Amino acid sequence: MSRRRTLGTKKKIALLVSAATVAGGGAFVMASTSNASQTPTVKSAADSTVCQGLATALGNNQKFIDGQKANPDAQSAARIANREAVIAQIKVQQEASGCAAGESAQDSQAAQPSAPAGNAGNAGAGNAGGDQNAGDAGNAGNAGGGAAAGQQVCNGSTVTLSGEGGAPAASSNQFPAGTKLKVTNLDNNKSTTVEVTSVSGSCVLLNNAAFEQVREAGKFLIRRAVIEKVG
């Protein structure tokens, strides 16, 4: 009788250990599945208009840096340092928005007239005059700089942000510093009039303050925009 009771106790212990093992394995599987479901999905520019806008902004700033490196002048180092800081901030925004940090895309300028042969060196915003000399003689005859006040320009261009701080302003590779541009977002009918203060790698980039005046919530790219030269 004593032996049978002892064997019965051992069997009970074995069954309890087996049950605990199975339960533990199930808990591990459930925890692994739960953790996997909580892993954030990184989006690309193709997946999200927010990510596309940020990637375009990063690409335009990188394009400006490349132009400055290709045709440097006395101020290029300072401009490059400024734009590198802007790119770093854009990468922070990409991460915060669930986008691939560092993803870059160049703004499409396909709908714009090509620059004259004598101005080819300015297409990448790398002209020797840099930010303050964007309106030099070599840039005066291009499609943007030669437009009359009140004329619609940069047809078909998307508009995004440069990532720069400060009062509302714009940068451009088409217009000299001091030019005033009116940018209208056709998706929400909001407009802002800003002054070009520096060179960029596309027709018009709005700094953070200016972009906030016309953006749709959560978006970093304006696909349907009207850009007018007003002064």
Side-chain angles (χ1 to χ4, degrees):
M1 291 294 290
S2 176
R3 184 179 179 184
R4 279 198 294 271
R5 283 197 299 272
T6 302
L7 290 174
T9 302
K10 289 181 179 179
K11 286 182 180 180
K12 288 179 182 179
I13 292 172
L15 288 172
L16 288 171
V17 170
S18 298
T21 301
V22 172
F28 175 77
V29 171
M30 291 178 64
S32 299
T33 304
S34 177
N35 289 337
S37 65
Q38 293 175 8
T39 302
T41 301
V42 177
K43 295 173 287 187
S44 70
D47 302 324
S48 164
T49 54
V50 171
C51 296
Q52 184 179 29
L54 290 169
T56 300
L58 192 151
N60 286 335
N61 280 284
Q62 187 59 58
K63 184 178 178 181
F64 175 83
I65 290 174
D66 293 343
Q68 289 292 305
K69 289 180 177 179
N71 298 281
D73 62 18
Q75 301 299 320
S76 290
R79 296 192 195 103
I80 289 171
N82 174 265
R83 293 307 175 100
E84 286 176 341
V86 169
I87 287 176
Q89 182 58 38
I90 292 173
K91 289 179 179 179
V92 171
Q93 291 178 320
Q94 285 177 321
E95 289 184 354
S97 301
C99 307
E103 183 178 17
S104 173
Q106 294 294 336
D107 192 12
S108 173
Q109 299 294 319
Q112 294 184 36
S114 58
N119 195 36
N122 289 338
N127 56 329
D131 286 8
Q132 297 304 317
N133 294 327
D136 60 11
N139 206 26
N142 62 16
Q151 182 176 342
Q152 185 172 322
V153 294
C154 304
N155 294 330
S157 292
T158 57
V159 176
T160 187
L161 77 168
S162 67
E164 295 179 299
S171 56
S172 174
N173 69 350
Q174 298 272 342
F175 303 96
T179 303
K180 289 187 177 180
L181 301 174
K182 180 181 179 181
V183 178
T184 301
N185 183 348
L186 296 178
D187 290 327
N188 58 14
N189 292 319
K190 292 183 178 180
S191 299
T192 183
T193 299
V194 291
E195 182 176 322
V196 174
T197 59
S198 62
V199 179
S200 68
S202 63
C203 181
V204 59
L205 288 181
L206 299 177
N207 71 355
N208 292 348
F211 195 80
E212 284 296 328
Q213 293 178 343
V214 293
R215 70 178 292 189
E216 290 185 274
K219 293 187 178 181
F220 291 91
L221 180 70
I222 301 173
R223 292 181 178 275
R224 299 175 61 243
V226 172
I227 305 167
E228 303 168 82
K229 180 180 178 182
V230 296

